[in-house]
Amino acid sequence: MSQPPHDVTAVLRDWTDGDPEALGRLMPLVFDELRTIARRYLDRESPNHTLQPTALVNEVYLKLVGRRRVTWENRAQFFGFAAELMRRILVDHARGLRASKRGGGAPRISLEAGVDVAFRQDVDVVALDDALKDLAALDPRQAKIVELRFFTGLTNEEVAAALGISLTTVKREWRTARLWLYRELKRR
Amino acid sequence: MSPERWQQIKAVLDAALERDVARRATFLAEVCQGDEALRREIDSLLAAERRVRGFLEPPLFTLLAETGAGGETSHRAAAAGRRRLERRRRSFLNDRKEDHETMIFMRSGSII
């Protein structure tokens, strides 16, 4: 089995240790992988190409890190990274759409991997991103929980494992964070 | 709002959410006594409770066939990809008729 071009686990470790450049090193790898996965799905001619974010991230993870080294700790790091990446992709994408509607001619940062996004409710991703930044200032852990649930589609159980906290805590924090964010978005 | 204040609000909000709707007013009157601002905060957050159903459901990703091998785009492949996307979009909307009005569908456009 061929090795990935970079040691993904090492980059993930750097990222968890707070190396801000790690995200930049990992991003192109993930983009490439998204593109490959998109192509493979389409080659299958399956009528349903809709993916939950969790499924997409899982596939990218398995491709980049491989099954042999799958430990939960590894996966949790990756999901944390993926949540941040997905957030950035979606927000940039939404901002690009907004700019092109205004005719501003700003460079459009499309998902570039042949990936489209469909929201199940009317969510203003840019406003959500801003509100999440405010929430992170009040309560970083709550913001992280929302990020993991919304941007990578993790379940409460998975969020609990990823953050090393109890399921009860996740549910409680999610419940109040959601009320707070809902109110914030209505105000903006 | 300070982080400390939010922790306080959160604790009261949690306790209120644990109680039946009918018993909340008495509880809040007691806990928020002398802190009208706290009461207003809690009331305005509780007001959102009935409306958050489905709020922050994760988005779905759909995959497009607009990129050829090596990144070159063939017009035929792009057109086929768009038709496929349109079919998917329709079936997605049919599945979720109730969300039709509020649906946002974002296209990444053609990719070079």
Side-chain angles (χ1 to χ4, degrees):
Chain A
M1 193 181 149
S2 67
Q3 282 295 308
H6 298 268
D7 188 345
V8 176
T9 27
V11 185
L12 277 175
R13 209 176 311 122
D14 292 346
W15 178 72
T16 321
D17 291 344
D19 175 359
E21 284 172 17
L23 193 67
R25 290 206 298 279
L26 208 45
M27 193 125 53
L29 290 177
V30 176
F31 265 128
D32 284 352
E33 212 43 63
L34 282 171
R35 198 177 291 122
T36 309
I37 289 169
R39 217 176 281 143
R40 206 180 61 229
Y41 267 84
L42 292 159
D43 286 347
R44 272 188 217 155
E45 285 291 336
S46 136
N48 184 5
H49 297 127
T50 305
L51 277 179
Q52 297 278 356
T54 336
L56 193 61
V57 173
N58 255 321
E59 289 227 24
V60 174
Y61 177 81
L62 289 174
K63 189 68 197 305
L64 287 179
V65 183
R67 276 173 211 280
R68 276 177 307 143
R69 281 189 283 174
V70 176
T71 63
W72 173 252
E73 197 188 35
N74 256 334
R75 268 169 50 85
Q77 281 179 343
F78 191 76
F79 272 104
F81 157 76
E84 207 162 307
L85 180 76
M86 293 289 194
R87 178 173 174 182
R88 202 178 281 192
I89 292 173
L90 293 183
V91 172
D92 283 351
H93 190 53
R95 281 195 214 280
L97 283 180
R98 212 179 258 189
S100 65
K101 263 184 208 153
R102 280 198 303 263
R108 256 182 60 179
I109 307 162
S110 76
L111 296 183
E112 292 213 63
V115 180
D116 255 12
V117 189
F119 287 95
R120 287 179 272 190
Q121 293 93 32
D122 187 1
V123 178
D124 181 339
V125 191
V126 177
L128 176 65
D129 183 58
D130 289 340
L132 265 178
K133 281 178 195 148
D134 292 345
L135 182 61
L138 289 179
D139 198 319
R141 192 172 69 177
Q142 269 193 313
K144 200 77 218 165
I145 290 170
V146 174
E147 199 178 56
L148 286 168
R149 284 207 41 153
F150 182 72
F151 291 104
T152 58
L154 293 194
T155 63
N156 284 331
E157 286 79 3
E158 289 166 330
V159 172
L163 298 179
I165 55 180
S166 77
L167 180 58
T168 319
T169 306
V170 174
K171 284 183 182 166
R172 214 177 45 225
E173 298 283 31
W174 167 252
R175 188 168 67 171
T176 47
R178 204 151 77 124
L179 290 177
W180 190 86
L181 286 168
Y182 185 88
R183 191 184 63 173
E184 273 314 290
L185 293 190
K186 290 290 152 202
R187 277 178 181 173
R188 279 160 203 251
Chain B
M1 192 189 288
S2 70
E4 294 73 25
R5 181 66 163 170
W6 171 238
Q7 293 307 316
Q8 184 195 9
I9 293 166
K10 213 167 70 173
V12 177
L13 183 59
D14 257 327
L17 287 165
E18 292 298 324
R19 287 168 165 75
D20 292 338
V21 178
R23 297 178 52 206
R24 286 181 189 170
T26 325
F27 167 74
L28 289 174
E30 194 178 314
V31 175
C32 303
Q33 204 173 18
D35 192 344
E36 278 312 304
L38 178 63
R39 178 64 195 261
R40 279 197 302 276
E41 268 295 306
I42 303 290
D43 283 344
S44 97
L45 287 161
L46 283 174
E49 196 192 359
R50 273 170 319 208
R51 281 171 279 153
V52 291
R53 210 172 138 256
F55 176 58
L56 296 183
E57 287 272 343
L60 295 170
F61 290 84
T62 54
L63 304 160
L64 298 178
E66 298 194 13
T67 322
E72 78 276 15
T73 303
S74 112
H75 290 297
R76 247 174 52 193
R82 272 193 292 274
R83 281 196 300 276
R84 233 177 267 159
L85 174 70
E86 182 55 28
R87 279 202 300 278
R88 257 194 334 270
R89 193 177 69 86
R90 282 199 194 129
S91 86
F92 186 86
L93 289 174
N94 281 337
D95 290 347
R96 297 163 203 281
K97 282 200 182 78
E98 74 277 17
D99 287 338
H100 191 281
E101 295 296 319
T102 55
M103 179 77 191
I104 292 181
F105 200 82
M106 306 202 310
R107 300 197 73 147
S108 58
S110 59
I111 294 151
I112 311 285

